[in-house]
Amino acid sequence: MTNVYIIGAGATPVAEHYGRSLADLASEAVRAAFAQVPGLNAKRVGAVYVANALGEVMASQSQLGAYLATAVGLAGVPALRIEAAGASGGAALHQAAQTVASGSCDVAVVLGAEKVTDRLDGALEAALALATDAEAEGIHGITLTAQWALLMRRYLFEHGYAPEVFAPFPVNAHANAAKNPQALYRFGISADKYRKAGQIASPLNMLDCSSVADGAAALIIASERIARELSGPLVRLAGTAIGSDITALAARPDPLDLAASRASAHVALGRAHLGIGDVQVLELSDPHGITAALALESIGFYERGAAPRHAADGAIAPSGRTPLATAGGYKARGDIAGASGVYQVVELVRQLKGVAGPTQVPGARVALAQCLGGVGVTAATSVLVSEDL
Amino acid sequence: MEIARHWRGRAARYRLEGQRNRTSGAVRFPPQPTALGEDTDAWEPVALSGRGEIYSFSVLRQVPDGYEGMAPYPVAMVRLVEGPLVTAQLTDCAEGDLSIGLPVEMVTRKLVDTGEDGVLVYGYKFRPVVS
């Protein structure tokens, strides 16, 4: 087993890219990642893992491993598509890390790519709802947004809060996205606007729901031998892990406990020989405030019912104890479905290299990314550590 | 079409049939296949009463293709008196009527119309208890 490093990271802007195909977006992201390692010969790539959740339904294309490897100029390289709904990106990174750690290749590419704007919103809602339990939930017209709304209302009931207690999450996300040229929504919002926003799935309102948009992000994963040929600070992928939970939300013993989120975070941190107190910047699935709050509490950053209060006190700002969504998060950078987990890591690499600009977390050396598939049905966590050599 | 798929689920859909563990008496819904390490007869079918109370609810305004004719519609997780939580739509109620803890009962209604060449899918929804 070898240590594994992230030696290149790049992404396209998140947008409604009506003029661009899935293949175009993938090509731009991979070229952006390789531009960071000009000395690396692409012939050294021994594996490609494509993260994509909705390709068949929304982009009319399957077999995305070979298809996108070809599109980016890596035809002939072993290539697979990894699908775990919204956790696809973290799951693909986990697979790439294991492949490189095993020694079966020295360089692997993780490519998250999603194209959703060729079809209308009803088709998108139906495609996303395929990540629910079709018989127990999907047939009843339940969407993923509805499931988070059900959890939000129960959470408010159990802890005696009003809905606007979640406003700090989208307010922070938008404040950070306003400084990210690649974000979907580059403007701030206020808690007052949050209170007045129209309902999408009550009590979730328009300013507490992410928009799914097009984009691609790529990471180059390398063995220690390759990484040490490069100059400058290195980002080590210190631990990755996958967790899974009962698909049907109602069948879980405690719906407000995201067991997969907790399990994958703790296993990933354990593999990195770190604890949650070591994490200085994080990316979580945060399409809604409730999603981020439940993950923060399930992982153990805060007691149950306490995450919104800490968020209101500034804990999730870049200067806080658990900085979150420094590039805008799902809410304002944009939700790229199966590619979101790769976008998360692109941002954390920037943070650990100290090049995150106005939302830089000072001195960040340990970062954690976690993406969820469905309502925490799958959770993929990655722990990143910066190394000076 | 998926006629066989909807037919297979008829016991749960029409009768709210779950399963009871022959040893512990635990009740679950919807029915599940035999898990690793379990005897194949560990769970027996049990028809649930269809009575319970709202655990949580939401009214959906952005809905999947196929459900647009019903929107906006309320969905809920219902805690059945036998113990399991069930996810379903609510019916025969206005948003203002709903609250956590409200007693509800099962009714059979149309879940979705799968189109001209498809089937009308029927199954359980819940409504506030008519007293």
Side-chain angles (χ1 to χ4, degrees), chain A:
Chain A
M1 299 290 276
T2 173
N3 282 331
V4 175
Y5 293 82
I6 301 175
I7 60 170
T12 72
V14 181
E16 294 169 330
H17 288 292
Y18 293 112
R20 306 188 61 193
S21 68
L22 191 63
D24 288 339
L25 295 166
S27 164
E28 179 182 332
V30 171
R31 282 182 285 118
F34 273 84
Q36 295 184 341
V37 272
L40 181 69
N41 187 332
K43 292 195 186 321
R44 298 179 87 157
V45 175
V48 175
Y49 289 95
V50 170
N52 171 277
L54 308 171
E56 290 84 351
V57 182
M58 298 304 288
S60 305
Q61 181 70 54
S62 71
Q63 207 164 189
L64 289 173
Y67 177 78
L68 291 182
T70 302
V72 306
L74 293 169
V77 176
L80 291 173
R81 175 267 193 100
I82 306 292
E83 188 278 311
S88 302
L93 179 56
H94 175 70
Q95 294 303 318
Q98 294 207 320
T99 298
V100 172
S102 75
S104 67
C105 70
D106 273 328
V107 179
V109 169
V110 176
L111 168 60
E114 204 75 68
K115 178 76 193 167
V116 298
T117 57
D118 283 349
R119 299 191 62 195
L120 299 177
D121 286 350
L124 176 61
E125 289 294 338
L128 294 168
L130 293 174
T132 68
D133 182 316
E135 181 59 36
E137 297 166 329
I139 195 69
H140 298 281
I142 305 289
T143 62
L144 292 184
T145 305
Q147 294 191 306
W148 291 115
L150 290 165
L151 291 177
M152 178 177 171
R153 191 183 301 277
R154 185 70 196 184
Y155 185 100
L156 297 174
F157 173 80
E158 292 197 3
H159 299 295
Y161 290 133
E164 53 264 34
V165 73
F166 286 108
F169 291 96
V171 168
N172 172 66
H174 274 263
N176 294 338
K179 300 162 192 162
N180 174 8
Q182 293 202 313
L184 179 64
Y185 294 135
R186 300 184 57 200
F187 54 84
I189 62 167
S190 66
D192 189 48
K193 276 191 176 170
Y194 181 97
R195 272 190 295 276
K196 293 171 182 164
Q199 297 288 312
I200 298 286
S202 63
L204 278 174
N205 68 37
M206 188 177 296
L207 287 184
D208 203 357
C209 289
S210 64
S211 301
V212 183
D214 305 330
L219 302 167
I220 306 170
I221 312 303
S223 64
E224 183 157 5
R225 188 167 63 83
I226 298 282
R228 298 211 180 271
E229 293 173 8
L230 306 171
S231 57
L234 287 177
V235 174
R236 183 162 55 88
L237 188 52
T240 63
I242 307 289
S244 74
D245 201 351
I246 298 167
T247 307
L249 180 58
R252 295 182 193 166
D254 178 1
L256 290 173
D257 178 37
L258 301 181
S261 164
R262 178 174 51 258
S264 80
H266 286 239
V267 172
L269 284 164
R271 287 175 178 160
H273 306 292
L274 294 166
I276 60 171
D278 297 311
V279 176
Q280 294 161 298
V281 56
L282 59 158
E283 286 275 314
L284 298 173
S285 281
D286 51 0
H288 321 288
I290 182 67
T291 316
L294 289 181
L296 285 167
E297 294 173 10
S298 297
I299 294 169
F301 286 104
Y302 300 110
E303 297 288 308
R304 284 183 75 152
R309 290 203 309 272
H310 287 283
D313 290 342
I316 59 172
S319 57
R321 179 178 143 202
T322 50
L324 187 62
T326 47
Y330 287 42
K331 175 65 192 77
R333 176 202 57 221
D335 181 344
I336 319 93
S340 293
V342 186
Y343 272 87
Q344 291 181 320
V345 174
V346 169
E347 169 60 11
L348 292 181
V349 167
R350 285 162 49 82
Q351 288 284 342
L352 295 182
K353 288 187 164 182
V355 296
T359 60
Q360 177 69 45
V361 174
R365 298 183 64 87
V366 176
L368 180 147
Q370 180 179 87
C371 52
L372 303 179
V375 269
V377 176
T378 309
T381 305
S382 310
V383 177
L384 285 61
V385 175
S386 67
E387 275 185 13
D388 293 319
L389 292 175

Side-chain angles (χ1 to χ4, degrees), chain A residues 129-130 132-141, chain B residues 1-14 67 111-112 114 119-122:
Chain A
L130 293 174
T132 68
D133 182 316
E135 181 59 36
E137 297 166 329
I139 195 69
H140 298 281
Chain B
M1 294 281 280
E2 298 188 304
I3 290 171
R5 173 193 163 198
H6 297 301
W7 169 79
R8 281 198 303 274
R10 64 197 182 283
R13 291 259 181 91
Y14 301 156
Y67 295 82
L111 298 185
V112 66
T114 59
V119 291
L120 289 174
V121 180
Y122 283 84

